[in-house]
Amino acid sequence: MVWFHLKKNSYWLILLLLHAPINITPSIASDHIFYCKESKYDFENDDINIIDINSFDISKTGTFPSFKNTLLLNQNEFVKKFGKPQKKLVEYSELDDANMDCYVYQGMKAWFMNKSLESIALTSSNYCLNFFNNKTIKVGDNIDAIVKAYPKSWQSKRDNQVFVGLKNNQITIDINLIFEYDSTTRKITEIHFGY
């Protein structure tokens, strides 16, 4: 009887461990998240600044941030928040050997696989990172805002890219917030999320 009890508990423990990544928020837990613009660089946590995803949201410039970070939205929730995209493309992901939906907005692209958000890129000032301390960061801003806010990340910059780590108390996130900038104008040219 005891043997059966241990075996039963072991079965549930193994089942839990095998399915844990699937039960955690799929948009952050999947190992293929944010396939575009993957970084060739590895950073230790001591090398870059780390921010909590609950401290900001991605939103249209001039609007208030949502309490649920856009990175945690599924495809339907994303469309409810940002409206119908101007274009909907199907793009192939070599990493996953699968097609992804790419939603194109004026100044933002978002990629989805199996209804989960996989990647997002902000390419104009129409969208911004909206922080709950009333600060915003958007494409076109001077990179000095990043230098001041994330000094460790600035020191570890690579090829005109500044990497800021993301964390969440509920789940592990192994993606970065990446700011690309033009070294001549010192303006942010793109904000995206990737490895």
Side-chain angles (χ1 to χ4, degrees):
M1 185 75 164
V2 173
W3 179 78
F4 176 78
H5 181 71
L6 290 173
K7 186 175 177 184
K8 184 177 178 184
N9 284 345
S10 298
Y11 170 77
W12 287 112
L13 179 62
I14 291 168
L15 190 62
L16 176 67
L17 291 173
L18 288 174
H19 291 282
I22 295 167
N23 293 330
I24 296 172
T25 306
S27 59
I28 298 296
S30 63
D31 58 346
H32 51 72
I33 186 169
F34 298 95
Y35 80 103
C36 72
K37 296 209 177 219
E38 288 181 18
S39 170
K40 57 189 173 212
Y41 304 111
D42 289 327
F43 295 98
E44 296 296 325
N45 280 351
D46 293 346
D47 294 341
I48 60 175
N49 294 94
I50 309 288
I51 61 172
D52 193 298
I53 66 166
N54 297 308
S55 66
F56 73 94
D57 186 29
I58 299 162
S59 58
K60 284 187 174 182
T61 300
T63 63
F64 291 107
S66 303
F67 288 108
K68 183 175 182 181
N69 189 299
T70 298
L71 297 176
L72 301 174
L73 300 179
N74 65 34
Q75 198 164 357
N76 293 332
E77 293 169 327
F78 192 91
V79 171
K80 277 184 189 173
K81 179 173 180 173
F82 293 107
K84 226 174 141 180
Q86 292 176 312
K87 281 192 230 174
K88 183 179 174 184
L89 309 171
V90 176
E91 295 184 1
Y92 178 72
S93 167
E94 287 183 27
L95 184 64
D96 299 298
D97 190 26
N99 287 330
M100 305 177 81
D101 291 332
C102 175
Y103 285 5
V104 180
Y105 295 84
Q106 190 171 348
M108 178 174 66
K109 283 186 177 182
W111 290 264
F112 298 89
M113 183 178 291
N114 299 323
K115 305 281 184 198
S116 293
L117 182 65
E118 294 293 317
S119 182
I120 192 164
L122 309 180
T123 57
S124 83
S125 61
N126 292 341
Y127 297 89
C128 66
L129 300 183
N130 209 338
F131 291 83
F132 289 104
N133 63 0
N134 295 323
K135 303 267 184 204
T136 60
I137 299 174
K138 60 187 179 308
V139 170
D141 286 352
N142 193 294
I143 196 66
D144 289 340
I146 305 305
V147 175
K148 290 175 189 167
Y150 310 116
K152 287 198 305 189
S153 293
W154 176 254
Q155 290 299 317
S156 298
K157 68 186 178 299
R158 305 283 193 277
D159 296 333
N160 295 347
Q161 294 182 335
V162 180
F163 297 80
V164 177
L166 298 176
K167 70 174 183 174
N168 183 344
N169 292 335
Q170 286 79 36
I171 56 176
T172 302
I173 303 172
D174 65 359
I175 58 169
N176 296 301
L177 165 58
I178 304 167
F179 298 96
E180 291 190 28
Y181 67 97
D182 182 306
S183 57
T184 305
T185 64
R186 296 189 56 83
K187 300 285 185 192
I188 297 169
T189 57
E190 186 171 313
I191 301 169
H192 59 269
F193 297 84
Y195 292 113

